[in-house]
Amino acid sequence: MHMLNLGILAHVDAGKTTLTERLLHTAGVTDELGSVDDGSTRTDTLALERQRGITIRSAVVSFPLDGVTVNLIDTPGHPDFIAEVERVLGVLDGAVLVVSAVEGVQAQTRVLMRTLRRLRIPTLVFVNKIDRRGARDDAVLAQLARRLAVPLVPMGRPTALGTPAARFVPGLDPAAPDALADHDDALLAAWLDGGVPEPRLRAALAEQTRRALVHPVYFGSAATGAGVPDLIAGIERLLPAACGDPAGPFSGTVFKVERGPAGEKIAYARLFSGTLGVRDRIPFGGDRTPAGGRPEGRVTGLSVFEDGTDLRRDSAGAGRIVKVWGLGGIRIGDALGLPGRAYEHHFAPPTLETVVVPGPGTDRRALHVALTQLAEQDPLIDVRHDEVRQETSVSLYGEVQKEVVQATLADEYGLDVAFRETTVICVERLTGTGAAVEFNKKDGNPFLATVGLRVEPAPPGAGVGFRLEVELGAMPYAFFKAVEDTVRESLGQGLHGWRIPDCTVTMTHSGYSPRQSHAHQGFDKSMSSTGYDFRGLTPLVLTEALRRAGTLVHEPMHRFRLEAPADTLGALLPVLAGHGAVPQGTGTEGTLAVLEGAVPAARVHGLEQRLPGLTRGEGELETAFDHYAPVVRGPVPERSRTDHNPLSRKEYLLNVTGRVAG
């Protein structure tokens, strides 16, 4: 039987989880429909999800169709949990994007469709809630075409719109040949010659959908079941089955990590090639061992998803989604077996952070352990611990995520915490080129190492590059590796304490003290270089090179789209300017004015609060991270350091060596 790994994606409250429940019920996996309001859904299993009625963690559940087993992955809709969606995208064969017939295209809808298109994931669109008062069909279709800017093929029309009797009447839209002919010259020629038989039209539709060239659109109601059988037929006939050779070399990717009742790690992985079995010993992750190799683990348990549940198996082959026990050091994004698809970030990283404040009686050590475990499930919360101030901060996408972290710590760990005011996360970019060098046994260098580094700016998005201008054989490879690893770690805190995401670092000088020993006494560490020397010296050299190059703090900027009554524009523009927003385009849609532009992330929340009063409650603002821009207002933001402060040589050497070099 073929496999299909299917993602359900949507803006929050579009009905995504309700659709998941309806699919399971229609497929015969469940006897009763779960309810989001009642907290009885199959995929929202966390107590917090049931209390709040939102999806926080992605969940996998399966159901059978004729000839296809679907592994359905329900993902969060709230933008604060976009990291969960990101990790799922890399394991999908196809997707269903859910849009509300009442609210239409929303901010998250656009973000998701842009990403699905960029990754070329075959996607069906399901316009939900046709039974609700205010539901629209033509208007939503026009909005989908205009605001998503993707080729759409309606697969039928709704009737009795906006009533409990609403139904979906299947039938290819008369304009379907036009949409399909854009990608098929032979089909275009046949259409111009007098028409295309429907079987050929449907074959072309399936072929182009699987190539993510067009997107079939279904209307329906997850609540009543209208249109859902037609959507299921589309899932079966139009989306591609999972591919992969079970007999090939083993390769997979971890997209979720959770902890079991006994605290053991459980990895969720998509297998792309080969077969995985219980008791297999497999490498995973990147180079994380001291010798530069990959850690290994022995699989102690394995589950696959079938008939609405997960079942223990001795082995599983390519195309499957599995749960794996026994890999103690596993992380989200790790490759299993042969490195296959690289784990990529498809969405912007968090742009906010806050300090976690322990409540009365909360043990700081227990809090740190709990936050570290939460970071295993969501690495982008990026736990930072400041030993000097005894403070722990976490990165966030928004206020809702902060509330969820607080509730999770209370419910699952019994820890009472509060948070300080949320602040934005900036970055630093080099303004020039700088170089520095320290030589072994010279000028007060207490480390038995020579390290020279040159730093140069790199374009945004280029990442950190590390190069050598010295011969690789000039000293043991482990010393070069120690320098590179320390450089990458140290760039997490620039001159103002912010991460430097894009630059090229070149090692220009190297040297070491060869292994020395006294007769009959063995290795003398005080006379011989070790990795400690290179790890200790590198931050000092790098910081001096950064000083000579100079850095500039950049703050996150969001692109915004604001729709408001045209007669409120006069009141809106001064407020936008006061919040640092720069309109870059204006237009009209009927009686609405549409403004697009950029606004500092730090000012978005304030703008959201002012908007209802300025627009009689009719304004709609959608924002998403777009880029970083130099800070031009107020003092330069500084971030407290959590390292040994290489900005001060005296303080650094006291922290690292316990003494100051002469």
Side-chain angles (χ1 to χ4, degrees):
M1 181 176 281
H2 294 301
M3 302 293 304
L4 169 63
N5 297 302
L6 177 72
I8 305 289
L9 297 86
H11 187 97
V12 66
D13 290 334
K16 170 180 48 58
T17 299
T18 304
L19 177 60
T20 298
E21 291 297 318
R22 177 62 67 175
L23 290 171
L24 295 175
H25 182 67
T26 304
V29 170
T30 58
D31 296 328
E32 295 183 4
L33 283 170
S35 168
V36 173
D37 294 336
D38 296 339
S40 57
T41 60
R42 290 290 298 271
T43 52
D44 287 345
T45 56
L46 296 177
L48 197 57
E49 292 177 314
R50 296 180 184 275
Q51 292 167 12
R52 289 177 169 264
I54 61 172
T55 301
I56 297 171
R57 296 279 181 257
S58 58
V60 184
V61 65
S62 69
F63 61 89
L65 299 178
D66 291 339
V68 181
T69 293
V70 177
N71 285 326
L72 188 151
I73 309 177
D74 185 18
T75 62
H78 198 286
D80 281 14
F81 307 106
I82 195 68
E84 279 289 313
V85 180
E86 174 179 77
R87 291 187 279 272
V88 167
L89 291 175
V91 306
L92 298 181
D93 304 304
V96 174
L97 181 65
V98 184
V99 179
S100 169
V102 179
E103 288 84 10
V105 174
Q106 297 175 280
Q108 189 80 338
T109 317
R110 299 178 71 198
V111 171
L112 292 170
M113 180 55 92
R114 277 197 301 265
T115 307
L116 290 165
R117 292 281 292 177
R118 185 169 73 248
L119 299 177
R120 304 193 67 79
I121 296 175
T123 302
L124 310 181
V125 178
F126 184 71
V127 181
N128 191 26
K129 302 185 181 181
I130 62 170
D131 58 320
R132 298 285 185 88
R133 181 180 299 177
R136 302 163 294 156
D137 52 354
D138 289 339
V140 171
L141 275 176
Q143 195 182 44
L144 285 166
R146 183 180 74 253
R147 298 185 65 180
L148 298 185
V150 296
L152 305 168
V153 179
M155 301 299 290
R157 308 291 298 185
T159 62
L161 199 64
T163 72
R167 294 292 180 268
F168 178 68
V169 180
L172 271 180
D173 189 86
D178 190 14
L180 296 171
D182 284 345
H183 307 285
D184 189 330
D185 291 341
L187 189 68
L188 175 61
W191 185 40
L192 294 175
D193 285 344
V196 181
E198 183 164 323
R200 182 175 178 185
L201 204 59
R202 291 192 176 275
L205 174 65
E207 189 265 338
Q208 292 190 28
T209 301
R210 288 170 185 154
R211 292 169 57 199
L213 297 175
V214 299
H215 303 285
V217 181
Y218 297 84
F219 288 82
S221 168
T224 68
V228 173
D230 303 281
L231 175 65
I232 288 177
I235 291 171
E236 184 177 3
R237 297 169 188 165
L238 300 178
L239 295 180
C243 58
D245 180 9
F250 175 67
S251 177
T253 298
V254 174
F255 66 91
K256 176 179 177 178
V257 173
E258 65 182 19
R259 286 188 178 268
E264 74 279 17
K265 280 189 178 182
I266 305 170
Y268 288 67
R270 161 74 189 267
L271 307 186
F272 291 103
S273 175
T275 298
L276 179 65
V278 176
R279 294 182 294 279
D280 284 354
R281 189 167 185 84
I282 58 170
F284 58 86
D287 293 347
R288 296 211 298 264
T289 66
R294 301 172 68 201
E296 291 189 348
R298 187 177 300 279
V299 176
T300 59
L302 193 66
S303 284
V304 301
F305 293 90
E306 289 182 7
D307 297 327
T309 187
D310 56 297
L311 304 172
R312 290 286 185 140
R313 291 285 186 266
D314 290 330
S315 64
R320 285 277 192 182
I321 287 179
V322 297
K323 292 169 68 173
V324 185
W325 284 260
L327 307 180
I330 200 72
R331 300 178 190 170
I332 288 172
D334 276 353
L336 303 180
L338 290 178
R341 302 187 186 186
Y343 178 64
E344 299 177 358
H345 291 302
H346 309 301
F347 300 105
T351 57
L352 304 172
E353 73 175 348
T354 183
V355 173
V356 185
V357 181
T362 296
D363 181 70
R364 290 180 180 273
R365 187 171 300 175
L367 174 60
H368 184 71
V369 171
L371 287 171
T372 301
Q373 290 187 3
L374 290 183
E376 292 173 354
Q377 300 171 25
D378 186 355
L380 291 180
I381 72 170
D382 186 28
V383 176
R384 298 176 74 247
H385 186 64
D386 185 339
E387 288 286 352
V388 176
R389 295 171 179 81
Q390 286 296 297
E391 293 178 349
T392 301
S393 61
V394 293
S395 304
L396 301 166
Y397 278 99
E399 295 298 314
V400 173
Q401 189 182 14
K402 183 164 70 174
E403 294 171 14
V404 167
V405 170
Q406 184 179 35
T408 302
L409 290 171
D411 295 345
E412 298 185 14
Y413 296 92
L415 300 173
D416 175 31
V417 302
F419 296 94
R420 290 196 191 148
E421 183 181 0
T422 302
T423 58
V424 298
I425 300 174
C426 299
V427 299
E428 293 182 50
R429 297 200 185 281
L430 297 180
T431 58
T433 298
V437 61
E438 295 220 17
F439 293 97
N440 189 1
K441 301 177 183 177
K442 291 184 179 180
D443 302 323
N445 174 9
F447 301 102
L448 296 178
T450 293
V451 174
L453 299 171
R454 183 175 66 249
V455 295
E456 301 166 276
V464 175
F466 185 81
R467 301 174 181 172
L468 296 178
E469 275 186 4
V470 293
E471 291 187 10
L472 189 59
M475 63 181 185
Y477 172 75
F479 295 162
F480 286 111
K481 181 67 173 169
V483 172
E484 179 179 358
D485 290 348
T486 307
V487 162
R488 294 185 183 279
E489 179 183 352
S490 300
L491 287 172
Q493 300 183 67
L495 301 181
H496 299 278
W498 303 104
R499 182 173 64 94
I500 300 177
D502 305 298
C503 67
T504 300
V505 181
T506 303
M507 190 169 183
T508 58
H509 297 75
S510 67
Y512 74 110
S513 295
R515 185 181 182 91
Q516 302 288 332
S517 61
H518 296 293
H520 310 299
Q521 295 183 10
F523 174 55
D524 186 348
K525 186 180 293 187
S526 67
M527 300 172 60
S528 313
S529 296
T530 66
Y532 159 83
D533 293 292
F534 289 90
R535 288 190 295 271
L537 181 60
T538 297
L540 284 174
V541 178
L542 179 65
T543 299
E544 184 58 31
L546 292 175
R547 271 203 186 97
R548 295 175 182 179
T551 68
L552 188 62
V553 176
H554 287 56
E555 64 180 332
M557 301 291 290
H558 283 209
R559 61 179 176 274
F560 74 85
R561 187 179 195 275
L562 173 59
E563 293 183 2
D567 62 352
T568 65
L569 202 56
L572 271 173
L573 289 175
V575 174
L576 287 171
H579 283 75
V582 180
Q584 297 166 344
T586 59
T588 58
E589 292 183 7
T591 61
L592 295 177
V594 180
L595 289 82
E596 296 185 350
V599 60
R603 314 301 291 275
V604 169
H605 186 59
L607 188 57
E608 289 172 338
Q609 291 180 315
R610 294 288 306 275
L611 189 63
L614 294 168
T615 63
R616 302 187 296 273
E618 300 177 41
E620 290 186 11
L621 176 68
E622 61 179 67
T623 68
F625 171 82
D626 189 61
H627 65 284
Y628 288 95
V631 174
V632 295
R633 297 183 175 207
V636 175
E638 301 281 341
R639 193 186 205 187
S640 60
R641 305 191 72 89
T642 59
D643 57 12
H644 294 301
N645 191 21
L647 291 173
S648 168
R649 184 182 184 90
K650 180 178 180 180
E651 180 182 343
Y652 178 83
L653 292 177
L654 279 172
N655 287 329
V656 175
T657 68
R659 59 189 175 86
V660 177

